[in-house]
Amino acid sequence: MKNYFLFSILLLSNIIVAQEILKLDDAISLALKQNPNILVAANEKELAEVANNWYAAGRIPTVSVNGFFNNSLTNLNQKLNNGTSIERNGVRNTTLNGNA
C-alpha cells in the first residue's frame, strides 16, 4: 500500500511538472488566433483589398450588346363595327431588336 501511494505521488508530480505554464500574453494571443469572428473579419479584409480597384468601384464603364429576333405566324379573324370581315391565314410578324 505504501509503494502504491508513493508511486501515485511521483506520477502526479511528474504530470504537474511536465505541463507548460501559460502566460497571460500567450493565452490572449492563442485566443485571438482561434477566434472564428476574428478569422472571418480577416478574410473579409483580404476580400475588400482584392476588390478595391477601379472596375469594382464602377469607374470603368461596361459595354453590353443585346439582340432579339422574333418571327411568328398567326391566323387573323376580325369583324369590324361597320360589318367588314377580315380572315387571313398565315399572317407573318417579324420583329428585330438590338441595343448596345
Side-chain angles (χ1 to χ4, degrees):
M1 181 74 171
K2 186 177 179 184
N3 288 338
Y4 178 71
F5 181 72
L6 185 62
F7 178 73
S8 62
I9 288 177
L10 286 174
L11 184 64
L12 190 60
S13 67
N14 283 339
I15 291 173
I16 292 173
V17 171
Q19 288 182 346
E20 182 181 333
I21 296 174
L22 188 62
K23 296 178 184 173
L24 181 62
D25 293 335
D26 296 337
I28 291 172
S29 68
L30 184 64
L32 291 177
K33 285 179 187 175
Q34 294 180 353
N35 188 341
N37 292 333
I38 293 176
L39 294 175
V40 168
N43 289 340
E44 288 178 352
K45 179 183 173 259
E46 284 183 32
L47 183 64
E49 288 174 354
V50 169
N52 186 16
N53 57 32
W54 287 98
Y55 178 74
R59 294 289 185 139
I60 297 177
T62 57
V63 177
S64 63
V65 177
N66 297 318
F68 175 79
F69 178 73
N70 186 13
N71 191 9
S72 64
L73 196 61
T74 59
N75 293 331
L76 177 64
N77 294 321
Q78 273 186 328
K79 220 172 220 193
L80 303 177
N81 285 338
N82 63 6
T84 307
S85 178
I86 301 173
E87 292 184 17
R88 292 189 181 135
N89 293 329
V91 177
R92 181 176 297 239
N93 184 13
T94 303
T95 305
L96 178 63
N97 271 338
N99 61 6

